Amino acid sequence: MFERGVSATVPPVRSLEEAFPRFRARDPSTVRVLGDVRERAHAFAQQHVRPLALDIDQRAAADPRYVDWDLVKAGCEHGLLSLAIPSAAGGQGGLVQEMCVTLEELCAACPGVGNIFGAHGLGMLPLLVTGVTHWDGLLHDIAVAERQGRPVLMACAVTEPDAGTDVEEVDLMRRGKITSRAVLVAGGWRLNGTKRFISNGSLADWVTVCMPSDPKRPAETWTCFLVDAHSEGFSVGRVEHKMGQRACPAAELIFDDVFVPDERVVGRPGDGMPSTLLVLAASRPAVAAIATGIARGAYDRVLGWLEQEPTLIGRQQVQLALARMEEEIHLARQGYLDAATEVDATISPALHHPLVRAMRMVPSSTRRRPLVRRWITSPWARQTTVAVLRHTVTDRAVTRSLALSSLAKAHAADVAVSVTGLALELVGLDAGEIRAELEKLWRDAKLTQIYEGTNQLNRLTVYRGLSRQETMVALPPSRLRLVGGRQ
Amino acid sequence: MTTDLHDELLGVVRDLTQREVAPRSADLDAGDRDAFAHCWTAACAIGLDRVLLAEEFGGAGLGPADLLAMIEEMAAGDAGLAVAVLLHNVALAALPAEAVAAVADGERWSVTLPPLAPSLAFGISKGSAGVSGRIPFVPGALGAGGFAILDPAPGSAALFFHSTAPGLTIQPYPFQMGWRSSPAAGLVLDEVTATPVPHSVGSDSGATRLVRLGVSAVARGIAGRAWELAFEYAHSRHQGGVFIIEHGAVRSLLAGMAVQLQGVGPAAISRAWLDGDDGGAIAAKVLASDAAVGVTTDAVQVFGGAGYMCETGVEKLMRDAMYCRLYPEPNWLVSDQLVASFERRH
Ligand SMILES: Cc1cc2nc3c(=O)[nH]c(=O)nc-3n(C[C@H](O)[C@H](O)[C@H](O)COP(=O)(O)OP(=O)(O)OC[C@H]3O[C@@H](n4cnc5c(N)ncnc54)[C@H](O)[C@@H]3O)c2cc1C
């Protein structure tokens, strides 16, 4: 067994300009902010995560429910759970770019641990994108709990046993077999069904889950709900034994007549599918960043190891392989940064809309008063959120952004698999702990080709959004028109 | 051997693999020693431990081509077990008659190859008091009864010693993601009394060629199994209202796998053997192991999320395939030797 512990030394982080040359051309304040985010994540990852990575992997191999809560709590101290929560709700106001840079650093140390925070971010995304009504509720609570050292984790549950790829796209959903169902009852909804392979599923206190209210018209009635994991009827089924990313459990979630009050519908009933596209546009760059981090983690390790192997590093075969890795990682990183920048630019007009700004100016304590809260969660306020989105963002812009995100995801995932394989091959079987770490990263890498839609599905989205220049319905319809709307 | 007899023998091995090995594949992967002992005993019962030995040594008197075909069949059930069978047979073939006669029924041996690259040199030396040094990563070293070291130095074709030999320390590897039923170890020798085997015993470079071709047979077995599982799954999983085999994306994955499998057909293996072609053996190993990694990775992809779960057994094939790429040496390391073997020919 390898030693557990906290590393005293942190290898230096490369300067942001060096790592992301394209940033030189960017707004200097963004570069500075991202640079800081990256350095903080790097220090946390190298100090706290990397020394534990192999040990956690082994423990979770024996017991897939194993979770290193101390590490999650340490993540709280570093603000990893509130990174993407708007500052108006008490978080750090990071956008997709900040999330991505953080994930690259975490996953360079341990992709499974990174995915705990990534899946938490995914769980929050529907609330961030269309669930403004929850900013002062749950998101605020998460940020407060985090400051108290109490992790409140989220998960996002979409995949079902009979519908994986089918729940990622409207046309497929219409042909697919979706068995979950939400039924309207007095004061709220009753949810039934099973979701599977849900990252953080067995850890989360809150789950955003999507289900149709009419199984015959799943795409039109797909609705996102915020479910308290302590609700009656909610349970965790099997937790999977899996190939890698074991630090983050993937669980089956069973909904047996779970009651969800009306105010916990995220956005409006039936808006789930278009919102999903917006969520995917934001979450796929994150997976690309995870994959880039995995590749970089392998590269860093192999470089470090080769310093002790002068006969090997002197050989051109090795030098060429290293150059190839550098090349692939560089391009994967550019891919996710491009996609993240694009999605941030796509949604930021909505965040800067006068109505949203006005709401942010009202002190949080006022917004949390029952009367004001009732107004914020009212159907009218939900309509307004959609209207603001429609006013500031176009379907075409979201489609393009989604396609760019899908491109970055599929490419980076392939890079992760090939670079980790190459790194493992370079060190061979007799490299001790480095070999075990590289084997782990290679096992971890494979998942990035599968989740957030298989690479095949991602590439079909690239075809639709970029090659064919299609415009998908990526925003919910608005019955309310704000003056000067774009659509 | 006649084709009929060959097919019949393979049928017996296939039957054993399906009956005894495949159902225990998850246990073998979990390192369950009882499961391994059961499978090893079953393999010995049909003579798989003495394939190359002459009949007077209780062997089957078969040739390397038969052994390789059998290894491929076994690897479809469990690669670690197939590797154990391979290395045991190569070890026995390298031993002199008296030593073979002393190997107890059911005892398993392992073998180490001469390193291809100087950077991987064992650094073992023979002194008057015995052999000292360290030999890395010997598959199946844990639980082996003895070891044959091939081509250790000029003068002898091999050295051999028992696992109980004084001065021998067997150092297990902490984690091993592939071939997990054959737990590997490093051997540290401190003045171990090892018996030299003269060249006449028949372990010329044929033994190392046989190991590489054996690993390519293991790779083919793994890849073939991955193909079967993926093909079957594609006909049973519904997405988008059809079996996923109907989707062009899945068909192109499967087609790519089929092409890779075709490219590493048995011809390459037996040609390299018959021609005594070391370069050909290395090339066959590189090709087959790369194909196995490619095919198994795509097989997991055909399964989607389910493929990533241990339960379906495809991710294990991917891990096992990667070890074919890394053993007896990583594929990238062979370029010098490969080119040198062609230079020798011209
Ligand atoms: C460890 C892990 C964690 C996960 N975490 C989450 C999570 O937190 N939340 C969540 O909701 N989900 C999660 N998932 C689910 C993941 O998103 C799905 O596995 C993925 O979308 C693929 O679905 P599937 O597994 O059902 O594969 P399938 O859809 O059955 O796909 C099988 C194969 O068929 C192909 N295929 C299917 N349909 C088509 C088509 N129409 N056209 C072309 N090819 C097609 C696929 O590309 C694939 O090769 C996770 C999965 C894993 C493995």
Side-chain angles (χ1 to χ4, degrees):
Chain A
M1 272 288 166
F2 298 124
E3 292 288 304
R4 272 177 84 85
V6 174
S7 168
T9 53
V10 177
V13 58
R14 289 203 214 177
S15 80
L16 201 72
E17 283 83 354
E18 188 194 338
F20 310 140
R22 198 168 172 278
F23 270 29
R24 280 198 211 110
R26 292 195 192 197
D27 160 24
S29 67
T30 314
V31 175
R32 200 180 53 248
V33 170
L34 284 181
D36 289 350
V37 167
R38 180 172 152 90
E39 262 179 55
R40 279 202 310 265
H42 179 78
F44 172 73
Q46 295 298 321
Q47 245 171 354
H48 295 273
V49 181
R50 185 170 168 191
L52 296 180
L54 272 180
D55 183 64
I56 297 174
D57 182 68
Q58 287 303 301
R59 285 170 196 255
D63 172 14
R65 287 175 183 260
Y66 176 78
V67 177
D68 192 323
W69 279 108
D70 289 341
L71 203 50
V72 180
K73 284 182 188 148
C76 282
E77 283 169 31
H78 286 74
L80 292 177
L81 298 185
S82 64
L83 188 65
I85 296 179
S87 34
Q92 298 170 57
L95 294 177
V96 180
Q97 294 175 74
E98 279 86 348
M99 199 66 208
C100 285
V101 167
T102 302
L103 284 171
E104 181 192 326
E105 289 302 325
L106 294 179
C107 294
C110 174
V113 171
N115 198 36
I116 295 182
F117 299 105
H120 168 75
L122 179 65
M124 292 196 305
L125 261 180
L127 307 183
L128 290 167
V129 172
T130 52
V132 184
T133 50
H134 299 280
W135 289 13
D136 291 306
L138 180 59
L139 294 188
H140 174 267
D141 295 347
I142 290 175
V144 170
E146 182 184 59
R147 281 196 287 278
Q148 297 165 347
R150 209 164 30 84
V152 173
L153 282 176
M154 292 201 68
C156 179
V158 183
T159 306
E160 305 191 358
D162 293 327
T165 301
D166 282 355
V167 289
E168 302 253 341
E169 220 186 81
V170 181
D171 301 341
L172 296 174
M173 187 179 266
R174 294 200 173 102
R175 284 181 264 146
K177 191 173 151 209
I178 286 147
T179 48
S180 66
R181 179 153 189 211
V183 178
L184 189 60
V185 295
W189 300 75
R190 291 254 168 220
L191 311 190
N192 281 286
T194 300
K195 296 287 176 179
R196 75 165 177 177
F197 303 158
I198 307 307
S199 305
N200 282 1
S202 53
L203 319 179
D205 292 297
W206 293 90
V207 181
T208 39
V209 59
C210 293
M211 291 188 184
S213 55
D214 180 355
K216 292 205 192 75
R217 294 167 48 247
E220 291 72 20
T221 63
W222 196 240
T223 302
C224 182
F225 301 91
L226 176 61
V227 175
D228 180 346
H230 310 282
S231 307
E232 205 180 318
F234 176 91
S235 60
V236 174
R238 54 182 290 160
V239 179
E240 306 284 347
H241 275 278
K242 54 188 166 38
M243 181 183 201
Q245 299 203 12
R246 292 176 184 148
C248 177
E252 181 184 52
L253 301 183
I254 298 157
F255 297 81
D256 181 11
D257 235 17
V258 176
F259 177 72
V260 181
D262 278 326
E263 63 268 23
R264 297 226 184 103
V265 173
V266 181
R268 299 172 314 185
D271 283 353
M273 207 50 216
S275 310
T276 300
L277 297 188
L278 204 49
V279 166
L280 290 172
S283 65
R284 286 182 181 167
V287 174
I290 289 177
T292 307
I294 296 175
R296 213 203 74 213
Y299 181 60
D300 288 351
R301 282 165 175 85
V302 87
L303 268 184
W305 180 80
L306 281 167
E307 274 169 23
Q308 270 94 61
E309 302 285 335
T311 52
L312 282 182
I313 196 130
R315 299 182 66 172
Q316 284 194 345
Q317 289 99 322
V318 176
Q319 295 164 1
L320 289 173
L322 292 172
R324 185 67 197 269
M325 291 168 157
E326 181 83 47
E327 204 176 296
E328 298 271 24
I329 293 166
H330 180 83
L331 294 175
R333 184 181 290 126
Q334 294 302 332
Y336 87 64
L337 280 171
D338 264 356
T341 309
E342 180 85 9
V343 72
D344 283 346
T346 304
I347 51 178
S348 33
L351 299 176
H352 292 104
H353 187 273
L355 275 177
V356 179
R357 277 219 294 248
M359 195 185 90
R360 280 191 189 161
M361 272 155 65
V362 178
S364 166
S365 51
T366 311
R367 288 199 310 258
R368 290 171 66 80
R369 292 216 182 106
L371 238 144
V372 183
R373 241 200 102 54
R374 196 171 318 148
W375 179 79
I376 288 176
T377 55
S378 67
W380 190 85
R382 288 167 202 259
Q383 304 282 12
T384 309
T385 310
V386 174
V388 166
L389 267 178
R390 277 261 160 224
H391 181 74
T392 49
V393 186
T394 62
D395 283 322
R396 177 65 203 142
V398 178
T399 308
R400 199 189 124 71
S401 175
L402 172 63
L404 215 57
S405 299
S406 309
L407 178 157
K409 185 271 189 191
H411 176 251
D414 286 355
V415 166
V417 172
S418 77
V419 166
T420 50
L422 206 57
L424 183 53
E425 213 183 288
L426 276 183
V427 307
L429 287 166
D430 192 39
E433 189 165 327
I434 286 287
R435 192 251 317 148
E437 286 191 272
L438 291 174
E439 287 185 358
K440 174 183 173 300
L441 287 173
W442 180 73
R443 289 187 280 111
D444 294 339
K446 178 62 200 164
L447 181 53
T448 61
Q449 293 181 324
I450 299 170
Y451 63 8
E452 286 313 283
T454 60
N455 273 10
Q456 285 69 20
L457 181 77
N458 275 262
R459 292 199 162 107
L460 289 170
T461 307
V462 175
Y463 162 72
R464 291 177 62 179
L466 294 178
S467 321
R468 206 173 76 187
Q469 297 280 314
E470 190 181 317
T471 297
M472 299 181 195
V473 180
L475 294 166
S478 175
R479 280 153 241 161
L480 203 73
R481 256 184 98 82
L482 301 182
V483 182
R486 285 198 194 166
Q487 294 187 342
Chain B
M1 197 199 330
T2 65
T3 320
D4 282 353
L5 185 58
H6 182 86
D7 290 349
E8 200 181 312
L9 271 170
L10 281 192
V12 173
V13 179
R14 189 171 307 142
D15 183 52
L16 173 96
T17 303
Q18 283 169 2
R19 211 163 16 86
E20 306 294 341
V21 184
R24 290 178 177 78
S25 143
D27 295 334
L28 290 166
D29 188 45
D32 179 338
R33 298 320 290 161
D34 290 342
F36 183 83
H38 176 92
C39 293
W40 179 256
T41 309
C44 293
I46 61 165
L48 274 174
D49 58 335
R50 281 155 198 264
V51 177
L52 300 177
L53 294 184
E55 284 174 29
E56 63 261 37
F57 297 117
L62 299 173
D66 303 308
L67 174 67
L68 294 173
M70 291 172 175
I71 296 290
E72 184 180 332
E73 286 295 340
M74 291 223 89
D78 180 64
L81 181 68
V83 169
V85 170
L86 168 72
L87 298 185
H88 174 81
N89 277 289
V90 176
L92 292 205
L95 296 186
E98 326 74 80
V100 172
V103 172
D105 275 351
E107 187 176 319
R108 185 175 58 75
W109 278 54
S110 191
V111 77
T112 73
L113 300 196
L116 257 192
S119 60
L120 295 185
F122 294 166
I124 56 170
S125 56
K126 272 186 277 185
S128 53
V131 181
S132 298
R134 178 174 176 275
I135 299 174
F137 203 88
V138 182
L142 294 186
F147 302 93
I149 308 180
L150 298 179
D151 288 345
S156 60
L159 290 175
F160 70 93
F161 47 85
H162 287 87
S163 54
T164 51
L168 171 66
T169 312
I170 298 178
Q171 290 180 330
Y173 276 64
F175 300 116
Q176 179 180 330
M177 79 168 175
W179 301 359
R180 286 170 54 82
S181 61
S182 271
L187 307 182
V188 179
L189 292 84
D190 180 16
E191 301 192 336
V192 172
T193 313
T195 315
V197 183
H199 272 295
S200 57
V201 173
S203 78
D204 59 352
S205 71
T208 59
R209 213 181 326 134
L210 188 52
V211 172
R212 292 211 173 78
L213 292 175
V215 173
S216 52
V218 171
R220 282 163 38 79
I222 295 170
R225 180 71 188 137
W227 156 263
E228 277 170 19
L229 286 174
F231 192 72
E232 232 170 74
Y233 188 77
H235 284 90
S236 66
R237 172 75 173 165
H238 250 269
Q239 281 301 277
V242 292
F243 288 119
I244 58 172
I245 186 88
E246 301 294 332
H247 296 304
V250 173
R251 293 179 93 78
S252 94
L253 280 172
L254 287 167
M257 293 159 74
V259 169
Q260 294 190 66
L261 270 171
Q262 277 295 322
V264 295
I269 294 184
S270 55
R271 210 180 318 118
W273 176 258
L274 292 174
D275 297 351
D277 176 3
D278 289 333
I282 292 175
K285 185 273 191 187
V286 169
L287 257 178
S289 59
D290 281 351
V293 171
V295 168
T296 52
T297 306
D298 286 349
V300 171
Q301 198 65 17
V302 169
F303 273 76
Y308 201 68
M309 306 308 165
C310 302
E311 176 188 29
T312 39
V314 257
E315 61 83 38
K316 170 185 185 287
L317 297 173
M318 200 177 142
R319 288 183 281 114
D320 284 339
M322 185 46 114
Y323 266 46
C324 298
R325 222 189 214 179
L326 302 176
Y327 181 86
E329 60 279 313
N331 283 355
W332 76 268
L333 253 177
V334 304
S335 52
D336 291 343
Q337 279 64 32
L338 204 52
V339 174
S341 82
F342 285 99
E343 281 170 343
R344 275 197 297 277
R345 271 192 239 167
H346 288 101

